[in-house]
Amino acid sequence: MKFGKPDAGFRARLYTIIFEAETRAGRLFDLSLIVAILLSITVVVLDSVQAVSANYGDVLGMLEWFFTLLFTLEYLARLYCVRRPLRYATSFFGVIDFLSVLPTYLALMMPGAHVLLDVRILRLLRIFRILKLTSYVEEYGMLNRALIASRRKILIFLSVVMMVVLLLGTVMYVVEGPGNGYTSIPTSVYWAITAITTVGFGDIVPKTDIGRAISSLMMLLGWGILAVPTGIISSELTAQHGRLRATTRTCHECLSEGHEYSAKFCKDCGAPLPPLESTAAR
Amino acid sequence: MKFGKPDAGFRARLYTIIFEAETRAGRLFDLSLIVAILLSITVVVLDSVQAVSANYGDVLGMLEWFFTLLFTLEYLARLYCVRRPLRYATSFFGVIDFLSVLPTYLALMMPGAHVLLDVRILRLLRIFRILKLTSYVEEYGMLNRALIASRRKILIFLSVVMMVVLLLGTVMYVVEGPGNGYTSIPTSVYWAITAITTVGFGDIVPKTDIGRAISSLMMLLGWGILAVPTGIISSELTAQHGRLRATTRTCHECLSEGHEYSAKFCKDCGAPLPPLESTAAR
Amino acid sequence: MKFGKPDAGFRARLYTIIFEAETRAGRLFDLSLIVAILLSITVVVLDSVQAVSANYGDVLGMLEWFFTLLFTLEYLARLYCVRRPLRYATSFFGVIDFLSVLPTYLALMMPGAHVLLDVRILRLLRIFRILKLTSYVEEYGMLNRALIASRRKILIFLSVVMMVVLLLGTVMYVVEGPGNGYTSIPTSVYWAITAITTVGFGDIVPKTDIGRAISSLMMLLGWGILAVPTGIISSELTAQHGRLRATTRTCHECLSEGHEYSAKFCKDCGAPLPPLESTAAR
Amino acid sequence: MKFGKPDAGFRARLYTIIFEAETRAGRLFDLSLIVAILLSITVVVLDSVQAVSANYGDVLGMLEWFFTLLFTLEYLARLYCVRRPLRYATSFFGVIDFLSVLPTYLALMMPGAHVLLDVRILRLLRIFRILKLTSYVEEYGMLNRALIASRRKILIFLSVVMMVVLLLGTVMYVVEGPGNGYTSIPTSVYWAITAITTVGFGDIVPKTDIGRAISSLMMLLGWGILAVPTGIISSELTAQHGRLRATTRTCHECLSEGHEYSAKFCKDCGAPLPPLESTAAR
């Protein structure tokens, strides 16, 4: 506590409201924050539509300043009540909070910057803090574990895709040439990504017969190869499922493992299993 | 029974025919209803094709009125024979049945409304009532359970996709600008969804080099990220399968079901399970 | 045998060569048939390319007649040596064989019909007869069983997709109207399929804001919903895998099931397992 | 050793540096090689962009010659220090190494050939040699085994897709004709691949009603059929997982591995297995 004693109680109360979600006031604060973020994003989005901006430009501009001042105030309050302001200011959410108010001030100097206010959407990631209390965290952890467990396979897959895209992009640059829209290797690689991910914008298309043959192969490859990462994640999640359901309960008599959550007796020796609490409590 | 006694027997018989599918008359009624729905949809669809409408417009208009009057009659019959008309009228199928006849009457005042008659296709959902008698329900229940079990993971996934689409849509609006077709943030978000879902209409395409680089990343992301929900559903259905397969063994003592193939004792009462042959032999 | 005795031996020998693949002559016949089919298809394909057709039209036309006469001869030989010619002529392969020679004769009357000769590609399905001797059949059977086991889930899925496509196609027809390319409900449904399958040709695109919002939803739906059939097939194949690996071997002592193919002793009671042949021989 | 004794020690040391990654010098060599490859590819890519090439063409040209000479030197060094130069020169990496320097020399005679230098990207496959020391190899092996195990199913799948694409491409050529862009069967097949892989460039689109109906079917087919290879790979990887998980238990008698969690006796020698705790405790 670097500040004077008098407002220490106020700071602690402010901290509980702003940073915690367990109390009633804290939850109310979080909910109004989410509503404010959604409203301010709606303002930015509407302001970018010309028909709306032409008629309600003044109101939207004022609302934008209102929300910016509100979030600036909130940012200062966070800085004020947190124990180590610098650590907060350099944390992920601290940076996001700062970037959420910056564009409006920047727009005073360079018009147009204020559309960057949409970075505020990232503030919604705080929602997960409220959900923390529910079972969303377990689901999220399962997804996360599966992705981490398969990160090496995914990396191998991505690097192979990158090589294919660069190689075939170059080949198409040679085969089709700038005359057919393949003006440079980066453009050809962009097209190759377009083809292999089955997006197919159609702004650049092969026109020679060889080019079409090569892109046919690429499309079939990109279409089929997607089965690989899908299979990786599927099998990893299936394994997580199996692990979750099976390995946590142990019979105290015969020490066999893998009993279901609903089991009351050991399926191997018939001895009563310890109640679920004692194992689920880990 | 709010109505007079005399027609109570008739109402009950009508109810059995219209609302139940177990009797012969009921099944016949359901089948003719399905045929009538399909025919009336065909009429609406054909009427929208200019070449057909120009030549057979009169016949199609008459057929449309015929089917509308038929379905109006059916709707009134349903209201008449059901015990609580209001509850039926506000139920899912009651609303659909009402909306199925409304557009033709509306078209008297505002021409063009009658194409909305296609909402009749939703009436086909009644088909599941006939299929109820077969094993389709079990399959449907399995799909449903898998979707419900993975609803939280899917929600997390969808909210992340939404954030990515809004953020990158805004970035593309800043990078490409209205000159290249990205006229507003909603339009940019529409384009971003086009790119991330690998649809790629090509009505709006990036033209600057930075824009192409960003959309390349988006396409790769959207292409690969699809593996996540697929993996979620796959693993959930695999788990359902496992659970399903486990349910064929029954304890002779407490009659509980769902023992694993490797179990030797009942997990619910601890009694020895009968050897696997006796159940696997079915 | 309705024909005279004299050529019964010749007919039987011909039958062995044409219809069976176990003998050396039969395999040779099948292989040359495959080569002839591939060559004749190449002729048809090349003939459709204007640059080639202009220069080598005469040669290609002669080759086409050569292959057609060859396949006509083969068809007659099949009819001659088979025991029940009518049953063969109305079987799947009999019809395909007949359709494979028809277009050339038809082209005498209506020019252009001869490109339909590509139906010959279906004759290649005979390849599976040669592969029958290898382990391809088991793999094919596994794929087949998985598809059959999930046919009901796939049917439910397809009917839901069809309803969505018809409904949203109609809505887009109302919202966008003929002025924006949605000229009729069938056209709108074609566009809706284009959007939901993530193909996105871009010949018809939404131009109004509401139309874009609706198609954004459709694209997200079509992109995500694909996870469902994939999950269905994945889990079904996983189950097939499990069944294949586990349930076929039984211990003669304790009657436990599910021993691995490589197991030599029962994993439950330690008694020696019967050799693999006796169970695998089914 | 065909060369003179004097430099045998030098050759062996060179071999260790160039071909092995276990020593410090070897790893350093590999890392600088990767950096050099990436830089030289960047040079080629930048050189293809007209805006960059116009301003820095001279520098990029010189850098290209520098890298080519460097890689030529490296290639000669590899030839020199390897025991059997011919076997190296005809191996996969030997050919890639040769092709990596060829285009620059070729460009002296035919301008434009130097963009083929991008084949250098394939040299990055050597990265896997460095990763060999980590656990990437196990992951790679798992992917590989799954792909090999499902190669037959994938082949069946691919040949069916090929038949469908050729057949429907021909049908579309007949239905739409050269007037609507379907100028030849190869072009129609290219379009059919475009539709079935859900790429949908939109350079060729059906314009007749029958053509649109057929392509709707194709799109739905291509969209849904992808579930099959995905399911194949998923189930195969899941099976691999199961096998992997089963390999943690070891029999103390015959030291065989891979017993199931539920096993009580060794499936290879029949000796009792140690209780699960002792292995699961790691």
Side-chain angles (χ1 to χ4, degrees):
Chain A
M1 301 260 179
K2 290 175 289 186
F3 292 82
K5 263 260 165 324
D7 52 358
F10 174 67
R11 277 181 66 202
R13 219 163 49 236
L14 203 63
Y15 180 88
T16 315
I17 292 172
I18 296 182
F19 279 92
E20 270 164 40
E22 273 80 24
T23 64
R24 197 174 171 175
R27 193 172 294 205
L28 200 74
F29 176 83
D30 278 354
L31 281 177
S32 16
L33 192 62
I34 289 168
V35 170
I37 292 169
L38 288 176
L39 282 177
S40 80
I41 288 168
T42 312
V43 167
V44 176
V45 167
L46 283 178
D47 196 39
S48 80
V49 183
Q50 213 150 20
V52 177
S53 168
N55 291 322
Y56 307 96
D58 297 345
V59 185
L60 293 173
M62 266 160 56
L63 279 172
E64 197 182 302
W65 272 106
F66 167 71
F67 282 118
T68 301
L69 292 177
L70 194 77
F71 291 149
T72 310
L73 213 73
E74 183 220 340
Y75 182 64
L76 294 176
R78 281 183 192 269
L79 275 180
Y80 167 67
C81 74
V82 88
R83 202 178 287 219
R84 301 190 195 165
L86 200 71
R87 178 178 281 190
Y88 161 70
T90 56
S91 72
F92 175 71
F93 276 121
V95 171
I96 295 288
D97 289 352
F98 181 66
L99 290 177
S100 296
V101 296
L102 198 62
T104 315
Y105 299 113
L106 275 180
L108 290 179
M109 282 162 292
M110 13 185 265
H114 68 115
V115 294
L116 292 171
L117 284 172
D118 264 15
V119 79
R120 280 174 186 164
I121 189 87
L122 285 181
R123 300 195 74 198
L124 285 183
L125 286 174
R126 281 175 201 278
I127 287 181
F128 285 109
R129 203 179 41 172
I130 306 190
L131 300 177
K132 189 167 52 188
L133 309 169
T134 73
S135 51
Y136 275 78
V137 165
E138 193 192 323
E139 307 279 337
Y140 178 74
M142 196 166 152
L143 269 181
N144 218 25
R145 272 198 307 278
L147 286 176
I148 286 173
S150 37
R151 72 185 178 288
R152 284 206 204 93
K153 289 201 213 75
I154 289 174
L155 222 82
I156 293 176
F157 174 77
L158 264 185
S159 56
V160 168
V161 165
M162 280 303 167
M163 281 189 190
V164 167
V165 158
L166 183 52
L167 262 183
L168 290 182
T170 306
V171 168
M172 289 300 283
Y173 172 68
V174 174
V175 168
E176 294 276 337
N180 287 337
Y182 297 75
T183 48
S184 67
I185 293 184
T187 303
S188 289
V189 169
Y190 158 75
W191 173 85
I193 291 176
T194 278
I196 219 168
T197 57
T198 77
V199 172
F201 279 127
D203 50 345
I204 306 169
V205 286
K207 295 210 177 79
T208 65
D209 282 345
I210 313 173
R212 282 179 173 171
I214 295 171
S215 37
S216 293
L217 284 178
M218 284 179 71
M219 291 186 272
L220 282 172
L221 182 74
W223 179 58
I225 217 179
L226 187 53
V228 175
T230 309
I232 292 171
I233 309 261
S234 289
S235 74
E236 200 52 60
L237 278 172
T238 304
Q240 296 272 352
H241 249 291
R243 225 162 286 158
L244 201 75
R245 254 189 317 149
T247 59
T248 46
R249 295 190 78 189
T250 312
C251 170
H252 288 195
E253 291 300 317
C254 71
L255 298 175
S256 70
E257 276 192 342
H259 303 287
E260 291 181 7
Y261 279 135
S262 61
K264 287 180 203 70
F265 292 88
C266 171
K267 62 179 182 169
D268 287 313
C269 71
L273 285 175
L276 200 55
E277 266 63 25
S278 61
T279 52
R282 92 215 123 95
Chain B
M1 302 264 178
K2 287 175 292 183
F3 292 81
K5 262 266 166 322
D7 52 359
F10 175 66
R11 276 181 67 205
R13 217 162 50 238
L14 202 63
Y15 181 87
T16 316
I17 291 173
I18 297 183
F19 279 92
E20 269 165 40
E22 273 80 25
T23 65
R24 196 172 172 176
R27 194 174 293 206
L28 201 74
F29 176 83
D30 278 352
L31 281 177
S32 17
L33 192 62
I34 289 166
V35 171
I37 292 169
L38 287 176
L39 282 177
S40 80
I41 287 168
T42 312
V43 166
V44 177
V45 167
L46 283 178
D47 194 39
S48 80
V49 184
Q50 213 149 22
V52 177
S53 168
N55 292 321
Y56 307 96
D58 297 346
V59 185
L60 292 173
M62 266 159 55
L63 279 172
E64 196 181 300
W65 273 105
F66 168 72
F67 282 117
T68 300
L69 292 177
L70 195 77
F71 292 148
T72 310
L73 213 72
E74 184 221 338
Y75 182 65
L76 294 175
R78 280 182 193 269
L79 273 181
Y80 167 66
C81 74
V82 87
R83 201 179 288 220
R84 301 190 195 165
L86 199 72
R87 178 178 279 192
Y88 161 69
T90 57
S91 73
F92 175 72
F93 276 121
V95 171
I96 296 288
D97 289 352
F98 181 66
L99 290 177
S100 297
V101 297
L102 198 63
T104 315
Y105 299 114
L106 274 181
L108 290 178
M109 282 163 290
M110 13 185 264
H114 67 114
V115 295
L116 292 172
L117 284 172
D118 264 14
V119 78
R120 280 174 187 164
I121 190 87
L122 285 180
R123 300 194 74 196
L124 285 183
L125 286 174
R126 282 175 202 279
I127 287 180
F128 285 109
R129 204 179 42 172
I130 306 189
L131 300 177
K132 187 168 53 188
L133 310 169
T134 74
S135 52
Y136 275 79
V137 164
E138 193 192 324
E139 309 277 337
Y140 177 74
M142 197 166 151
L143 269 181
N144 218 25
R145 270 198 307 278
L147 285 176
I148 285 173
S150 37
R151 73 183 179 288
R152 284 206 203 94
K153 290 201 211 74
I154 289 174
L155 223 82
I156 292 176
F157 175 77
L158 263 186
S159 56
V160 168
V161 166
M162 279 304 167
M163 280 189 192
V164 167
V165 158
L166 182 52
L167 262 183
L168 289 181
T170 306
V171 168
M172 289 300 283
Y173 172 66
V174 175
V175 168
E176 294 276 337
N180 288 337
Y182 296 76
T183 48
S184 66
I185 293 185
T187 304
S188 289
V189 168
Y190 158 74
W191 173 85
I193 291 175
T194 279
I196 220 170
T197 58
T198 77
V199 172
F201 279 126
D203 51 344
I204 306 170
V205 285
K207 293 206 177 83
T208 64
D209 283 342
I210 313 174
R212 282 178 173 173
I214 295 171
S215 37
S216 293
L217 285 178
M218 283 178 73
M219 292 186 272
L220 283 173
L221 182 73
W223 181 58
I225 217 179
L226 187 52
V228 175
T230 309
I232 292 170
I233 310 261
S234 288
S235 73
E236 200 53 59
L237 278 171
T238 305
Q240 298 272 350
H241 250 291
R243 229 161 283 159
L244 202 74
R245 249 188 316 153
T247 58
T248 47
R249 296 189 75 192
T250 311
C251 169
H252 287 194
E253 291 299 317
C254 70
L255 298 175
S256 70
E257 278 191 340
H259 303 288
E260 290 180 8
Y261 279 135
S262 62
K264 287 181 201 68
F265 293 89
C266 172
K267 61 179 181 173
D268 287 313
C269 70
L273 286 174
L276 201 54
E277 258 55 29
S278 61
T279 51
R282 94 215 121 93
Chain C
M1 301 264 179
K2 288 175 290 185
F3 291 82
K5 259 267 168 321
D7 51 0
F10 173 67
R11 276 181 67 203
R13 218 163 50 239
L14 202 63
Y15 181 86
T16 315
I17 293 173
I18 296 183
F19 279 92
E20 270 164 38
E22 273 80 25
T23 65
R24 201 179 166 167
R27 193 173 293 204
L28 201 72
F29 177 83
D30 278 354
L31 281 177
S32 18
L33 191 63
I34 288 167
V35 171
I37 292 168
L38 287 176
L39 282 177
S40 81
I41 287 168
T42 312
V43 166
V44 177
V45 167
L46 282 178
D47 195 39
S48 80
V49 183
Q50 214 151 19
V52 177
S53 169
N55 292 322
Y56 306 96
D58 297 345
V59 186
L60 293 173
M62 267 160 54
L63 280 171
E64 195 182 303
W65 272 107
F66 167 73
F67 282 118
T68 300
L69 292 177
L70 194 77
F71 292 146
T72 311
L73 214 71
E74 184 220 338
Y75 181 65
L76 294 175
R78 281 182 192 269
L79 275 180
Y80 167 67
C81 74
V82 87
R83 201 178 289 222
R84 301 190 193 164
L86 200 72
R87 178 178 279 192
Y88 161 71
T90 56
S91 73
F92 174 72
F93 276 120
V95 171
I96 295 288
D97 289 351
F98 181 66
L99 290 177
S100 296
V101 296
L102 198 63
T104 315
Y105 299 112
L106 273 180
L108 290 179
M109 282 164 290
M110 15 184 262
H114 68 115
V115 295
L116 292 172
L117 284 172
D118 265 13
V119 80
R120 280 173 186 164
I121 190 85
L122 285 180
R123 299 194 74 199
L124 286 184
L125 286 174
R126 281 176 202 279
I127 287 181
F128 285 110
R129 205 181 39 172
I130 307 189
L131 300 178
K132 186 167 55 188
L133 310 169
T134 74
S135 53
Y136 276 78
V137 164
E138 192 192 324
E139 308 277 337
Y140 177 75
M142 196 166 152
L143 268 181
N144 218 24
R145 269 198 309 278
L147 286 176
I148 287 173
S150 37
R151 73 184 178 287
R152 283 206 204 96
K153 289 200 211 76
I154 289 174
L155 222 83
I156 292 176
F157 174 77
L158 264 185
S159 55
V160 168
V161 166
M162 279 304 168
M163 280 189 191
V164 167
V165 158
L166 183 51
L167 262 183
L168 289 183
T170 306
V171 169
M172 289 300 283
Y173 172 66
V174 174
V175 168
E176 295 276 337
N180 289 337
Y182 295 77
T183 48
S184 66
I185 292 184
T187 305
S188 288
V189 169
Y190 157 74
W191 173 86
I193 291 175
T194 278
I196 219 169
T197 58
T198 78
V199 172
F201 280 127
D203 50 344
I204 306 170
V205 284
K207 294 209 176 81
T208 64
D209 283 343
I210 313 175
R212 283 180 173 172
I214 295 171
S215 37
S216 293
L217 284 178
M218 284 179 71
M219 291 186 272
L220 282 172
L221 182 75
W223 180 58
I225 217 177
L226 187 53
V228 174
T230 310
I232 293 171
I233 310 261
S234 288
S235 73
E236 201 53 60
L237 278 171
T238 304
Q240 297 271 352
H241 249 289
R243 225 162 286 157
L244 202 75
R245 253 188 319 147
T247 58
T248 47
R249 296 191 77 191
T250 311
C251 169
H252 288 194
E253 290 300 317
C254 71
L255 298 174
S256 71
E257 276 193 341
H259 303 287
E260 290 180 9
Y261 279 135
S262 62
K264 287 181 203 71
F265 291 88
C266 172
K267 61 176 182 171
D268 287 313
C269 70
L273 286 174
L276 200 55
E277 267 62 26
S278 62
T279 51
R282 92 217 123 92
Chain D
M1 303 260 180
K2 288 176 288 185
F3 291 81
K5 263 256 159 338
D7 53 359
F10 174 68
R11 276 180 67 203
R13 218 163 48 237
L14 202 63
Y15 180 87
T16 316
I17 291 172
I18 296 182
F19 279 91
E20 269 164 41
E22 273 81 25
T23 65
R24 201 175 167 173
R27 194 173 292 204
L28 201 73
F29 176 83
D30 278 354
L31 281 177
S32 16
L33 192 62
I34 289 167
V35 171
I37 292 168
L38 287 176
L39 282 176
S40 81
I41 287 168
T42 313
V43 166
V44 177
V45 167
L46 283 178
D47 196 38
S48 81
V49 184
Q50 213 150 20
V52 178
S53 169
N55 292 320
Y56 307 97
D58 297 344
V59 186
L60 293 173
M62 266 160 54
L63 279 172
E64 196 182 302
W65 272 106
F66 167 72
F67 282 117
T68 301
L69 292 177
L70 194 77
F71 292 147
T72 311
L73 212 72
E74 184 220 339
Y75 182 66
L76 294 176
R78 281 182 192 269
L79 275 180
Y80 168 66
C81 73
V82 88
R83 201 177 287 223
R84 302 190 193 167
L86 201 71
R87 177 178 281 190
Y88 162 70
T90 56
S91 72
F92 174 72
F93 276 120
V95 171
I96 295 288
D97 289 351
F98 181 66
L99 290 177
S100 296
V101 296
L102 198 62
T104 315
Y105 299 112
L106 274 180
L108 290 179
M109 280 163 292
M110 16 185 262
H114 68 116
V115 295
L116 293 172
L117 284 172
D118 264 14
V119 80
R120 280 174 186 164
I121 191 86
L122 284 180
R123 301 195 72 199
L124 284 184
L125 286 174
R126 281 175 202 279
I127 286 181
F128 285 111
R129 206 180 37 172
I130 306 190
L131 300 178
K132 187 167 55 188
L133 310 170
T134 73
S135 52
Y136 276 77
V137 164
E138 190 192 324
E139 308 278 337
Y140 178 74
M142 197 167 153
L143 269 181
N144 218 26
R145 271 197 308 278
L147 285 175
I148 287 173
S150 38
R151 71 185 178 289
R152 284 206 203 94
K153 289 201 212 77
I154 288 173
L155 222 83
I156 293 176
F157 175 77
L158 263 186
S159 57
V160 167
V161 166
M162 280 303 168
M163 281 189 190
V164 168
V165 158
L166 183 51
L167 263 184
L168 289 182
T170 306
V171 168
M172 289 300 283
Y173 172 68
V174 175
V175 167
E176 294 276 337
N180 288 337
Y182 297 76
T183 48
S184 67
I185 292 185
T187 304
S188 288
V189 168
Y190 157 75
W191 173 85
I193 291 175
T194 278
I196 219 169
T197 57
T198 77
V199 172
F201 279 127
D203 51 343
I204 306 169
V205 285
K207 295 210 178 79
T208 64
D209 282 344
I210 313 174
R212 283 180 171 170
I214 295 170
S215 36
S216 293
L217 284 178
M218 284 178 71
M219 292 186 271
L220 282 173
L221 182 74
W223 179 58
I225 217 178
L226 186 54
V228 174
T230 309
I232 293 170
I233 309 262
S234 287
S235 74
E236 202 52 60
L237 278 172
T238 304
Q240 297 272 352
H241 249 291
R243 231 161 279 159
L244 202 75
R245 248 189 314 154
T247 58
T248 45
R249 296 189 75 189
T250 313
C251 170
H252 288 195
E253 290 299 318
C254 70
L255 298 174
S256 70
E257 279 190 341
H259 303 287
E260 291 180 9
Y261 278 135
S262 62
K264 287 182 202 67
F265 292 89
C266 172
K267 62 180 182 170
D268 287 314
C269 71
L273 285 174
L276 202 54
E277 258 56 27
S278 62
T279 50
R282 94 214 120 97

